[in-house]
Amino acid sequence: MELSIIFLPLIASIISGFFGKYIGDRNSEIVTSALVSISALLSILVLYQVIVNQYEENIVIATWINSGSLDVNWSMLIDPLSAVMLVVVTSISSLVHIYSIGYMSHDPHKPRFMAYLSLFTFAMLMLVTSDNFVQLFFGWEGVGLCSYFLIGFWFKKESANAAAIKAFVVNRVGDFGFALGIFLIFYLFGTVNYSEVFQQIPTVVDKNLLFLGFEIKAIDLICLLLFIGAMGKSAQILLHTWLPDAMEGPTPVSALIHAATMVTAGVFLVVRCSPIYEYSPLILNLITIIGMTTAFFAATVALVQTDIKKIIAYSTCSQLGYMFFAAGVGAYNVAMFHLFTHAFFKALLFLGSGSVIHAFKDEQDINKMGGVWKKLPFTYVLMIIGTLALTGFPFLSGFYSKDAIIEFAYLKGNTTGYYAAGIGILTALLTSIYSWRLIFKTFHGEYNNKEIKIEETHESPIVMLVPLFILSIGAIFAGVLFKGLFIGSGGENYFWAESIKFLEPLSTDHPPTWFLLLTPCLVTISIPIAYYLFVKNKEIPNGIVSLNKPLYNFLVNKWYFDELYDVLFIKSSKRLGLFLWKFFDGTIIDGFGPDGISSFIKKCSIKANKFQSGFIYQYAFVMLVGFSAFLTFLIVR
């Protein structure tokens, strides 16, 4: 049963990718959706076994590498952490497969698209079920490759190709740090297997290494390098620039990769390596700072975006920041809880936005929408549910997980924790404002599209609405049903067993009542405020923009990160490349190499050609000179 979870998506990808043109578009869609759905059902059974019977297993599929002390198996590790990820990956993937049947109905390359989705699912499952860092890295690179394929699926669009390349290159930066971390782990411990590495961690706590001329603790360096990989994959600030551009891919891709699965791989990595990170308070504080900065940064940028998918993309970036600063304050289980609930409501929002885009014939600008809530009643209600869950409205899933992160940050009791809690509350308010801005500008107010008549907009087909309905159930009930299981009481949580390690149990105290009520009150109050600003009196936002034009431009241009990187890296790299091409390659290598030699031979040939005049007396003269030189040589000798 366990092996079927991994191999069914791979089989689906092979069938659709290699035999799609023989079995047809519809059969490709049915086969891939059915096999991934079966994988999802089996994953739920595995999670049930883990919850009820504390089931754990490490199934060795094959010996992969056996060379010297490097012994790496291709295996499937089943424990509470991987079981949760199995459910998240396969359930979201199966719903996205089904949704894609309707959304991609007019695309001529449906089998290829479904094959990419299934291959991505297989790579992600390889990642989350690995019992060693090499297999983890294999899955890590696999999802990166599939992300490249899917973002650039519409390869005839120049913007899609550019976005795919950008995602691939930026992730390579993070992956380079991740690879160095794996090399360092093998150098220090002689193994890359989780269990063996985690057992030996206490032996290197006091060990120092010389890295780039600096003396640094070995444990801190390992954690830092692994976290750099997590930053790239999970789009944390400094390595976040690829995520908004990745919206060039089809909307189902955005829901599968950039909301619920691939971007959470970095969070999974940090939580999986909690036995390492627990010994590095310095890097945990760094993770907290990076996480809370990302959460705030992405929320501010989302306030002014007009592309419906990019707003949700920045929301994803912000929520990932929450997960990281939860891990940074040591609340790894709470980070996983938010990862779990976030998968449902964020996939719901992405697929809901796809339904809106479908109704508006591929229009994504929310300023060209409005007034269609009666035309798209089901999409409207389902997106309202997703928005309520995202903003942390009381008693929906986001309320339980997001508020728990803020509370544990506050209970950490140190300066970093208090800052993280404060930024978390402020970001929650901003999240509510931009989320309701999206809803009100999309569904309420006047209809603003001059190219499409409102009568032409229509609700999505049932094959697209059913996945939305299922996701809405998770968005409503996932928090209340799983809070006790995921968080438990303090650090004494039987569910996670040894898959998450706490050197010190989490605080069992409760924050002050005013603190507990602050975030829900702000979130609730922001709804009528957003309605007034974006529906009733639109002049106020316009006036605020005109009064704060520099700040508005700063946010619209995403804090100028792209422009900064363009100056620091892109243009300088181009200039360096041009110099190396023209001077070293052209002048030196080609000049003294093939071009120089051929030019020399050509010149010699031209000179030699002058001797071929055709006059007999010139040939006789040359022969006489030669004969005289030869006689002189013989006499002198």
Side-chain angles (χ1 to χ4, degrees):
M1 178 178 73
E2 292 85 351
L3 295 181
S4 299
I5 296 173
I6 289 181
F7 285 110
L8 285 176
L10 178 61
I11 294 170
S13 177
I14 293 171
I15 292 174
S16 183
F18 290 101
F19 305 103
K21 64 179 181 180
Y22 301 111
I23 64 176
D25 293 354
R26 182 46 55 92
N27 287 332
S28 295
E29 294 168 339
I30 292 173
V31 167
T32 52
S33 300
L35 292 181
V36 175
S37 297
I38 293 171
S39 180
L41 293 174
L42 295 177
S43 298
I44 294 172
L45 289 177
V46 168
L47 180 60
Y48 176 79
Q49 290 291 330
V50 171
I51 295 172
V52 176
N53 301 320
Q54 289 79 54
Y55 169 66
E56 291 191 23
E57 188 63 66
N58 190 1
I59 304 170
V60 177
I61 301 172
T63 298
W64 191 3
I65 303 172
N66 191 345
S67 176
S69 61
L70 182 60
D71 187 11
V72 178
N73 291 324
W74 182 18
S75 60
M76 184 177 183
L77 175 63
I78 302 294
D79 66 357
L81 187 57
S82 62
V84 169
M85 291 301 296
L86 283 176
V87 170
V88 169
V89 173
T90 56
S91 60
I92 300 300
S93 179
S94 61
L95 294 174
V96 167
H97 274 75
I98 296 169
Y99 178 91
S100 299
I101 295 175
Y103 190 87
M104 303 294 288
S105 59
H106 301 297
D107 194 277
H109 306 291
K110 290 185 281 291
R112 179 165 62 91
F113 181 76
M114 303 303 282
Y116 287 164
L117 287 182
S118 298
L119 183 62
F120 169 85
T121 307
F122 166 73
M124 192 68 194
L125 293 175
M126 287 289 296
L127 189 159
V128 301
T129 58
S130 61
D131 75 339
N132 61 81
F133 286 99
V134 173
Q135 184 181 329
L136 173 68
F137 192 74
F138 173 80
W140 193 273
E141 294 303 306
V143 294
L145 178 65
C146 293
S147 174
Y148 172 80
F149 289 154
L150 288 165
I151 295 170
F153 179 75
W154 289 320
F155 55 85
K156 293 184 179 180
K157 285 175 60 180
E158 185 176 343
S159 57
N161 282 324
I165 293 171
K166 185 176 183 179
F168 198 78
V169 171
V170 173
N171 272 276
R172 295 294 72 72
V173 176
D175 293 352
F176 179 68
F178 186 25
L180 289 180
I182 296 174
F183 296 153
L184 180 58
I185 286 172
F186 182 70
Y187 170 75
L188 290 173
F189 306 112
T191 180
V192 291
N193 296 316
Y194 294 154
S195 58
E196 297 172 4
V197 171
F198 296 159
Q199 286 175 1
Q200 298 181 58
I201 287 296
T203 63
V204 299
V205 171
D206 298 321
K207 184 179 179 65
N208 291 336
L209 293 172
L210 196 65
F211 182 72
L212 299 178
F214 296 95
E215 189 172 356
I216 184 173
K217 283 188 175 181
I219 191 73
D220 291 340
L221 185 56
I222 292 172
C223 292
L224 176 62
L225 292 172
L226 294 180
F227 179 58
I228 289 173
M231 285 177 64
K233 196 66 74 181
S234 293
Q236 293 302 282
I237 195 166
L238 301 180
L239 294 178
H240 67 279
T241 54
W242 66 271
L243 184 59
D245 290 15
M247 297 302 106
E248 289 291 338
T251 300
V253 174
S254 304
L256 177 61
I257 293 179
H258 310 116
T261 52
M262 188 188 87
V263 291
T264 62
V267 181
F268 169 79
L269 172 63
V270 172
V271 175
R272 171 62 80 191
C273 295
S274 59
I276 305 177
Y277 280 96
E278 279 291 277
Y279 289 94
S280 180
L282 174 65
I283 304 303
L284 284 179
N285 282 329
L286 176 65
I287 292 173
T288 306
I289 293 168
I290 293 291
M292 68 183 184
T293 305
T294 304
F296 177 74
F297 152 75
T300 60
V301 175
L303 284 171
V304 297
Q305 297 298 306
T306 57
D307 186 308
I308 187 171
K309 286 173 65 177
K310 286 191 176 181
I311 295 172
I312 304 175
Y314 276 109
S315 172
T316 301
C317 194
S318 183
Q319 297 304 307
L320 289 165
Y322 273 103
M323 297 176 206
F324 273 108
F325 82 68
V329 299
Y332 307 102
N333 53 341
V334 184
M336 287 302 300
F337 183 35
H338 194 51
L339 185 155
F340 183 76
T341 59
H342 174 266
F344 291 102
F345 59 72
K346 189 52 61 67
L348 172 60
L349 285 171
F350 262 119
L351 296 184
S353 71
S355 182
V356 173
I357 294 168
H358 185 75
F360 278 91
K361 300 180 180 178
D362 297 329
E363 179 58 63
Q364 296 182 198
D365 189 344
I366 59 175
N367 289 326
K368 296 181 180 179
M369 301 177 185
V372 293
W373 69 275
K374 291 182 179 179
K375 297 288 292 182
L376 311 174
F378 296 108
T379 300
Y380 173 66
V381 171
L382 294 170
M383 284 198 71
I384 288 284
I385 293 172
T387 300
L388 289 170
L390 168 64
T391 58
F393 192 80
F395 310 117
L396 274 77
S397 58
F399 166 74
Y400 293 99
S401 58
K402 186 192 292 184
D403 281 26
I405 292 174
I406 297 172
E407 291 167 20
F408 276 103
Y410 178 85
L411 292 172
K412 185 67 175 177
N414 59 13
T415 304
T416 307
Y418 288 138
Y419 273 118
I423 293 295
I425 293 171
L426 177 59
T427 303
L429 174 62
L430 297 177
T431 301
S432 186
I433 292 172
Y434 71 67
S435 298
W436 289 108
R437 170 179 174 265
L438 184 152
I439 292 294
F440 292 139
K441 290 181 78 68
T442 301
F443 294 101
H444 290 271
E446 298 178 358
Y447 183 77
N448 297 312
N449 197 306
K450 297 179 180 179
E451 298 176 2
I452 306 169
K453 294 181 179 179
I454 192 170
E455 293 79 15
E456 296 178 19
T457 59
H458 56 84
E459 188 60 271
S460 297
I462 191 71
V463 72
M464 292 172 64
L465 293 177
V466 168
L468 292 176
F469 177 74
I470 296 172
L471 288 169
S472 69
I473 296 173
I476 296 171
F477 297 111
V480 66
L481 293 177
F482 289 92
K483 180 181 179 182
L485 182 71
F486 278 58
I487 300 179
S489 176
E492 303 298 326
N493 190 315
Y494 77 91
F495 171 68
W496 295 109
E498 296 299 317
S499 63
I500 295 178
K501 182 171 182 176
F502 302 94
L503 285 184
E504 296 180 5
L506 294 177
S507 174
T508 56
D509 297 333
H510 293 281
T513 303
W514 67 266
F515 185 84
L516 294 174
L517 295 176
L518 181 59
T519 306
C521 288
L522 290 174
V523 166
T524 305
I525 292 171
S526 66
I527 300 175
I529 294 174
Y531 182 77
Y532 180 76
L533 292 176
F534 302 114
V535 178
K536 288 296 184 182
N537 196 341
K538 299 179 181 179
E539 296 303 318
I540 294 179
N542 294 334
I544 294 173
V545 168
S546 61
L547 289 173
N548 298 276
K549 200 66 176 177
L551 177 60
Y552 176 76
N553 290 333
F554 180 70
L555 297 180
V556 165
N557 288 286
K558 302 159 284 188
W559 289 25
Y560 292 106
F561 270 106
D562 283 314
E563 289 77 5
L564 178 64
Y565 288 169
D566 192 48
V567 172
L568 292 179
F569 303 114
I570 308 301
K571 290 182 179 178
S572 58
S573 297
K574 284 183 177 179
R575 284 195 293 266
L576 177 62
L578 202 62
F579 172 74
L580 294 175
W581 170 38
K582 293 290 187 181
F583 181 72
F584 282 97
D585 195 32
T587 305
I588 297 179
I589 297 176
D590 287 344
F592 290 96
D595 290 350
I597 294 172
S598 61
S599 177
F600 176 74
I601 293 173
K602 182 178 180 181
K603 289 178 182 178
C604 291
S605 300
I606 293 172
K607 296 291 184 183
N609 186 50
K610 294 180 179 180
F611 288 100
Q612 307 299 322
S613 64
F615 296 110
I616 295 176
Y617 63 84
Q618 287 186 352
Y619 295 157
F621 175 73
V622 171
M623 293 173 64
L624 181 61
V625 171
F627 182 68
S628 300
F630 181 66
L631 286 177
T632 302
F633 173 75
L634 292 177
I635 293 170
V636 172
R637 187 180 177 188

